[in-house]
Amino acid sequence: MSIRIKLLLSYTGMLLISLLVFAMTASLFTIAATGDVHSLRDFYKVHYQLNPLTEQEESIFLELKYLAKNEPDRLQEQQLLKDFDFKLKTVRAGLYVRRESGRIYQSYTFNQPELERHLPPYDLNNNQIRSTFNIGERFYAYAKYDFHYSDSQKGSVFVIRERSPFGEVTRKLLPAFVISLAGIIVIFNALLFRWITRSVVKPLDRLRHSAEHIQRGNLQFSLEPSTKDEIGQLNAAFENMRKRLQESVQLRLEDEANRKELISNISHDLRTPITNIKGYIEGIRDGVADTPEKMNKYVNIIYSKAVDLDKLVEELFLYSKLDLKQVPFTLVAVDIVDFLDDCIEEQRYVLEEKGVVIGWAHRPIPPVNVFADLEKIKRTVLNIIGNAQNYMDKEHKNIHISVHPERDWITVEIRDNGTGIPQEALPHIFERFYRAEASRNSSTGGSGLGLAIASQIIEGHGGRIWVESEVGVGTRLFFTLRRTTYEGGEGRHGRQHSDY
């Protein structure tokens, strides 16, 4: 349930409760004034049968009762009866006195011709001296006392008061009703406050505590949404932000660790050729190269190490730019088969000197045009081939290239029969400075940047690169490039496509 609906329901509930309280209070006042509620009359009859008179009326009734017991004949004196009636009129009650031979006195307060006919019969045992009776829609409560006059005739004295059906009780209970209604409002407000607090305030408070945790740098907590309303959605968004922040912090820590490792690796790989160069230069300075042949050997070694150092710096610079997405890609349509033919021919003689044979394993006959940055794809292929020839341990060393065309992509496979890569090392071979063997001997492992650069280049083309290997058998490395046409046709060789 949304907060808007909750607030709407709460305000509607308060309005309805207020209107109900107002209506009930108005009804009570109306009933107290008019007594116009008939359905509850029986209930109030019971009340007036027990308590028909007020305290003043009861006091007058007791005086009349005393006279009926002790001086019954005085209840025939009209002046005395008028005096009692006057007292009763002041409290809105009336007097009625009867005897068997006829009515003795009737107060004008009632103005009810049928009053005598509805009075209860004589009961000289006075088993019930208080009760009620109706004359049509009019409701009366009374207290009576039956007695004998001195001439033995039966007589009765009544103190009668006309009542609303339950008006008097309502007047007495009105404060209790008002207090009860006020209590209902208080209870309803307390329940409403508890509901709003649990559904709105507490979730917001949890959100505030979560923000304080983040402010203190603590991201090791969870904020699970408990509802599906706006606050629940806010909690979900906040939790997602916390996870992203945690991932960002974790990534920053990993980057920091990688940076330290990178600096360590760079220091190690730069120190090795520099140390060699310094060693041979010191040999020259100390006169160790005392013959032209030794001098020529030392100079050639120094030059070779300087070339290695320059290559390492150049690869490191290229990798850094690729990693920061600062290298533009100029993609053109090229026949990948012809392109790989050129790469094979370029490497054939270099590799043959090392006893490595390179050639096609599967060469498609028709042209297969792809979008590629020629310089960068060439570097990728040469890096892969260079990495493969560093790990050859068999008598017949082979590197084979295959192209597998598909509808939208082509897959280039470069397979060797070298030492292979352990399974636990496969997920890491495209990481910078990673070498599968424990040592960091650059004479066998290269700079450790070749495959990392290849991976960055292929990803820059929108393709993907992966490796399969079996120790002792060899390694198969794959990468994909997008074809220039997607319906089976081929684009024209050399057409420029885009800059990436």
Side-chain angles (χ1 to χ4, degrees):
M1 186 184 299
S2 68
I3 297 175
R4 182 179 301 173
I5 295 177
K6 289 178 181 178
L7 293 176
L8 177 62
L9 290 177
S10 64
Y11 290 136
T12 303
M14 279 303 302
L15 178 61
L16 292 177
I17 290 295
S18 300
L19 291 176
L20 177 61
V21 169
F22 176 79
M24 292 180 68
T25 305
S27 299
L28 288 173
F29 277 112
T30 302
I31 293 166
T34 65
D36 190 24
V37 175
H38 309 294
S39 60
L40 300 178
R41 179 174 297 168
D42 292 338
F43 172 78
Y44 289 98
K45 279 184 177 180
V46 174
H47 170 77
Y48 286 122
Q49 285 171 359
L50 300 175
N51 303 285
L53 304 179
T54 64
E55 185 176 348
Q56 291 175 292
E57 294 164 354
E58 187 71 22
S59 177
I60 295 171
F61 171 70
L62 291 176
E63 291 182 33
L64 291 167
K65 182 179 176 182
Y66 178 81
L67 288 175
K69 286 182 177 181
N70 298 289
E71 301 177 77
D73 290 340
R74 291 194 65 188
L75 293 178
Q76 299 182 87
E77 298 175 9
Q78 292 295 313
Q79 186 58 47
L80 178 64
L81 296 178
K82 286 180 180 180
D83 291 340
F84 277 108
D85 186 38
F86 179 77
K87 293 179 182 179
L88 290 171
K89 283 181 180 179
T90 60
V91 291
R92 296 190 299 177
L95 177 63
Y96 188 91
V97 181
R98 70 180 178 181
R99 63 180 289 162
E100 285 183 277
S101 58
R103 180 181 64 202
I104 294 178
Y105 186 85
Q106 179 177 345
S107 174
Y108 291 105
T109 303
F110 309 125
N111 192 23
Q112 181 56 261
E114 299 183 4
L115 179 63
E116 185 175 358
R117 188 164 59 88
H118 288 83
L119 292 175
Y122 290 101
D123 177 18
L124 294 175
N125 292 323
N126 289 306
N127 293 320
Q128 185 175 11
I129 64 173
R130 293 174 176 84
S131 188
T132 61
F133 62 88
N134 294 84
I135 302 177
E137 295 297 323
R138 301 178 72 174
F139 178 67
Y140 298 89
Y142 67 88
K144 78 175 180 70
Y145 186 76
D146 294 328
F147 59 94
H148 282 104
Y149 286 100
S150 60
D151 58 1
S152 298
Q153 282 203 346
K154 297 176 183 177
S156 300
V157 60
F158 290 85
V159 174
I160 304 173
R161 181 184 178 93
E162 185 175 2
R163 305 279 189 172
S164 67
F166 57 95
E168 292 300 322
V169 176
T170 301
R171 289 188 183 94
K172 291 181 180 179
L173 297 181
L174 184 59
F177 279 121
V178 172
I179 293 173
S180 298
L181 294 176
I184 291 173
I185 293 178
V186 171
I187 293 173
F188 184 81
N189 274 277
L191 293 175
L192 182 62
F193 174 77
R194 185 171 182 269
W195 180 51
I196 293 297
T197 299
R198 293 187 63 181
S199 60
V200 177
V201 178
K202 285 188 177 179
L204 289 178
D205 195 51
R206 288 196 295 121
L207 194 62
R208 179 178 63 82
H209 286 304
S210 299
E212 291 173 353
H213 281 301
I214 292 178
Q215 185 180 8
R216 292 194 295 267
N218 176 23
L219 296 173
Q220 303 300 323
F221 66 92
S222 178
L223 183 64
E224 297 298 333
S226 57
T227 60
K228 295 183 180 179
D229 56 15
E230 293 88 343
I231 294 181
Q233 295 170 6
L234 178 62
N235 285 347
F238 193 91
E239 174 66 10
N240 185 55
M241 180 191 71
R242 183 197 66 81
K243 290 180 179 178
R244 296 290 296 275
L245 282 174
Q246 189 175 24
E247 292 173 359
S248 177
V249 170
Q250 186 65 29
L251 184 61
R252 182 171 62 83
L253 294 175
E254 292 176 359
D255 286 344
E256 181 67 17
N258 289 338
R259 184 183 66 81
K260 292 178 180 179
E261 182 183 2
L262 176 62
I263 292 174
S264 175
N265 291 335
I266 292 173
S267 300
H268 181 278
D269 286 359
L270 290 177
R271 186 182 295 114
T272 300
I274 290 175
T275 300
N276 290 333
I277 290 173
K278 285 174 62 179
Y280 284 107
I281 291 177
E282 288 175 358
I284 293 175
R285 288 176 59 186
D286 294 341
V288 176
D290 52 0
T291 64
E293 291 80 8
K294 285 186 177 182
M295 179 64 70
N296 186 53
K297 178 181 177 182
Y298 276 35
V299 169
N300 288 336
I301 292 175
I302 291 171
Y303 177 77
S304 174
K305 296 300 180 182
V307 170
D308 292 341
L309 185 62
D310 180 68
K311 181 179 179 182
L312 176 62
V313 171
E314 191 269 336
E315 286 187 340
L316 181 62
F317 180 67
L318 175 61
Y319 177 81
S320 298
K321 292 180 68 177
L322 287 169
D323 194 40
L324 296 173
K325 311 299 182 185
Q326 294 179 351
V327 178
F329 284 75
T330 302
L331 305 183
V332 297
V334 60
D335 181 359
I336 191 64
V337 177
D338 288 346
F339 173 79
L340 291 174
D341 278 337
D342 294 339
C343 291
I344 290 172
E345 290 303 318
E346 182 179 331
Q347 292 294 305
R348 187 185 303 277
Y349 299 104
V350 177
L351 293 175
E352 283 180 354
E353 291 179 357
K354 300 179 180 181
V356 179
V357 177
I358 186 172
W360 284 97
H362 179 266
R363 184 182 186 278
I365 299 301
V368 181
N369 286 359
V370 298
F371 289 121
D373 185 313
L374 298 180
E375 179 183 354
K376 295 180 178 60
I377 289 298
K378 182 176 181 179
R379 188 180 191 97
T380 297
V381 173
L382 296 183
N383 282 358
I384 295 171
I385 292 174
N387 188 76
Q389 60 93 21
N390 285 332
Y391 296 95
M392 294 290 188
D393 62 344
K394 297 180 175 60
E395 181 180 356
H396 301 288
K397 305 172 183 178
N398 300 312
I399 296 177
H400 294 101
I401 298 176
S402 301
V403 173
H404 307 287
E406 298 175 7
R407 182 177 179 273
D408 297 332
W409 299 84
I410 65 100
T411 300
V412 177
E413 175 189 353
I414 300 177
R415 184 177 71 238
D416 65 65
N417 63 342
T419 58
I421 303 172
Q423 291 297 313
E424 63 273 12
L426 290 179
H428 306 287
I429 66 168
F430 296 111
E431 296 176 6
R432 58 194 177 192
F433 292 107
Y434 182 82
R435 297 191 182 101
E437 80 281 0
S439 68
R440 294 195 52 80
N441 183 2
S442 60
S443 64
T444 60
S447 67
L449 288 172
L451 293 183
I453 291 173
S455 175
Q456 292 279 8
I457 290 174
I458 295 302
E459 289 178 5
H461 281 75
R464 64 189 188 96
I465 186 170
W466 70 97
V467 65
E468 297 176 1
S469 185
E470 184 177 351
V471 176
V473 176
T475 301
R476 302 166 64 196
L477 196 143
F478 305 85
F479 65 86
T480 61
L481 296 172
R482 185 179 293 277
R483 299 187 69 171
T484 55
T485 57
Y486 311 118
E487 301 297 333
E490 303 296 340
R492 292 180 299 170
H493 179 78
R495 177 169 55 87
Q496 183 166 326
H497 172 58
S498 64
D499 289 338
Y500 184 83

